[in-house]
């Protein structure tokens, strides 16, 4: 059987999470990571370890079928590839930043200014769209120091916590795009590989669903049962089982992590007791 070739970052901010995701999908890799290539013993997949910058082109050239990259890299390389799944990790944004002492009120500020960046394509498209005529100075690293050494007036770079900007005397003034890790791939994959990809995406979705939900067990007085069921409707409807103690039952259900604390308060007010919340390993809806 043919194997689906997936390119992931060899080492960096995406690599651990990418491998963790495959592990959570129960895909076992032989000869570990940090190699050039590894294969799976229980899934028809081959892993290629590359620099993130090279992943879009490798897919475009057919060296890999799919890959995990940051949205920033995907947009910058601008290859005609498909986004198969958003992965929700390595979140960051691409922003314009200027020295903190500068007065900034609008994008007009950048008119005839010099901006240093490692993302010239995204920046050029943004400036053109907003009719700003600025000079783009492309550099490959340490973009944040360029205003202080007189190389540029401003920068366009990845921001996460914002601490790199602060420690370089800069302030973020315009967010151009948000970014997260993506599964990208060729638009036209062979039927055989498409089947493997569908299986992989199915597993990834089950892992993601499980992460955003919790399994909840609680004891409820029969008199308040309906009220409690209304608070936690569950995937279909909650499981209700009688307790040995007369007038009480045990209720099992699934709740969304984000609503969790809000729901707990409502449940306690409705007389729920002995509330247990447990993580879910996989969830297929
Ligand atoms: O060696 P290789 O080319 O494979 O890796 P790389 O050095 O190009 O990339 P890497 O590993 O640094 O980042 C990979 C991807 O992670 C990026 O393309 C983004 O999609 C994503 N990501 C998420 C980040 C950050 N957060 C991040 N904070 N990439 C870089 N940074 C850097 C940024 O360049 C800046 O210098 O962190 C600094 C800003 O962080 P804060 O928290 O100080 O704001
Ligand atoms: Zn890179």
């Amino acid at each position: 059987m043919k194997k689906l070739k997936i390119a992931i970052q060899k080492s960096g901010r995406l690599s651990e999470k990418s491998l963790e995701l495959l592990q959570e999908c129960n895909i076992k890799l032989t000869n570990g990571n940090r190699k050039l290539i590894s294969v799976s013993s229980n899934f028809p997949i081959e892993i290629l370890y590359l620099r993130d910058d090279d992943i879009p082109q490798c897919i475009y050239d057919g060296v890999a079928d799919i890959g995990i990259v940051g949205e920033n890299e995907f947009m910058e390389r601008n290859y005609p590839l498909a986004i198969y799944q958003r992965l929700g990790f390595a979140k960051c944004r691409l922003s314009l930043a200027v020295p903190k002492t500068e007065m900034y009120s609008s994008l007009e500020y950048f008119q005839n200014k010099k901006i240093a960046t490692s993302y010239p394509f995204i920046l050029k498209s943004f400036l053109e769209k907003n009719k700003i005529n600025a000079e783009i100075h492309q550099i490959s690293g340490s973009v944040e120091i360029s205003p202080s050494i007189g190389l540029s007036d401003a920068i366009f770079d990845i921001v996460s916590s914002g601490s790199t900007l602060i420690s370089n005397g800069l302030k973020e003034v315009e967010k151009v795009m948000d970014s997260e890790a993506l599964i990208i791939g060729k638009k036209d994959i062979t039927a055989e590989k498409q089947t493997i990809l569908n299986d992989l995406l199915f597993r990834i979705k089950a892992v993601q669903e499980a992460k955003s939900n919790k399994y909840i067990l609680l004891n409820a007085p029969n008199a308040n049962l309906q009220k409690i069921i209304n608070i936690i409707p569950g995937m279909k409807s909650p499981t209700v089982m009688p307790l040995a103690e007369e007038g009480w039952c045990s209720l099992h259900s699934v709740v969304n992590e984000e609503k969790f604390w809000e729901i707990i308060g409502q449940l306690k007010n409705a007389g729920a007791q002995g509330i247990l919340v447990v993580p879910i390993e996989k969830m297929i809806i």
Side-chain angles (χ1 to χ4, degrees):
M1 193 186 190
K2 279 236 178 237
K3 285 185 164 59
L4 184 76
K5 290 182 189 159
I6 170 165
I8 66 173
Q9 192 189 25
K10 188 172 165 65
S11 83
R13 286 183 166 86
L14 296 163
S15 49
E16 295 304 321
K17 287 270 185 186
S18 303
L19 285 169
E20 197 179 295
L21 180 69
L22 296 175
Q23 232 167 43
E24 286 167 334
C25 291
N26 298 111
I27 295 173
K28 292 201 173 70
L29 299 181
T30 56
N31 69 11
N33 54 6
R34 310 285 177 258
K35 296 262 160 80
L36 193 60
I37 294 178
S38 62
V39 289
S40 168
S41 54
N42 62 354
F43 197 79
I45 204 167
E46 194 172 289
I47 316 288
L48 311 179
Y49 299 95
L50 301 170
R51 283 199 60 193
D52 67 345
D53 313 50
D54 299 332
I55 292 176
Q57 189 183 349
C58 276
I59 299 169
Y60 184 70
D61 291 344
V63 177
D65 301 303
I66 60 165
I68 299 180
V69 283
E71 198 165 352
N72 50 316
E73 214 58 59
F74 172 64
M75 298 297 283
E76 178 64 25
R77 307 286 154 176
N78 196 33
Y79 285 103
L81 302 172
I83 297 177
Y84 284 112
Q85 184 70 36
R86 300 191 155 267
L87 296 173
F89 61 80
K91 284 193 173 172
C92 56
R93 54 195 187 272
L94 273 173
S95 292
L96 282 157
V98 302
K100 66 170 191 273
T101 47
E102 289 293 294
M103 291 281 284
Y104 181 87
S105 57
S106 79
L107 271 179
E108 284 302 309
Y109 173 90
F110 293 103
Q111 221 54 275
N112 303 315
K113 291 279 198 309
K114 196 169 172 182
I115 310 170
T117 188
S118 312
Y119 297 92
F121 178 79
I122 299 173
L123 179 59
K124 187 166 175 281
S125 317
F126 176 79
L127 294 174
E128 272 171 11
K129 200 176 86 196
N130 289 285
K131 303 193 168 51
I132 303 293
N133 181 29
E135 186 188 331
I136 299 175
H137 186 72
Q138 184 179 352
I139 47 177
S140 57
S142 306
V143 173
E144 64 280 358
I145 64 164
S146 61
S148 64
I149 59 171
L151 212 58
S152 70
D153 302 302
I155 67 161
F156 175 63
D157 201 9
I158 295 176
V159 183
S160 176
S161 65
S163 59
T164 302
L165 293 184
I166 292 170
S167 56
N168 285 281
L170 300 168
K171 60 180 177 187
E172 185 178 3
V173 290
E174 299 283 345
K175 181 179 85 174
V176 172
M177 65 171 274
D178 283 308
S179 176
E180 65 183 289
L182 305 173
I183 293 198
I184 57 165
K186 271 213 139 139
K187 287 179 179 166
D188 49 345
I189 281 182
T190 62
E192 195 179 8
K193 287 190 173 178
Q194 186 69 51
T195 309
I196 307 169
L197 175 59
N198 290 348
D199 191 3
L200 177 68
L201 294 175
F202 178 81
R203 292 188 189 198
I204 290 173
K205 279 176 195 143
V207 168
Q208 288 183 331
E209 282 295 336
K211 277 190 183 159
S212 54
N213 287 283
K214 296 274 181 251
Y215 192 71
I216 185 165
L217 304 91
L218 58 87
N219 293 331
N222 286 349
N224 288 2
L225 190 57
Q226 196 51 53
K227 202 169 165 188
I228 290 176
I229 289 175
N230 292 343
I231 301 169
I232 43 168
M235 285 168 82
K236 210 172 192 87
S237 73
T239 307
V240 181
M241 285 177 285
L243 286 190
E245 189 179 327
E246 191 74 13
W248 282 80
C249 60
S250 166
L251 202 136
H252 299 196
S253 192
V254 171
V255 292
N256 188 282
E257 171 124 70
E258 279 174 26
K259 298 200 187 120
F260 176 69
W261 290 109
E262 185 191 320
I263 285 176
I264 292 299
Q266 291 175 26
L267 289 173
K268 288 186 87 171
N269 288 340
Q273 292 181 4
I275 304 171
L276 292 181
V277 177
V278 262
I280 299 171
E281 199 182 291
K282 306 279 184 308
M283 182 166 156
I284 292 111
I285 44 174

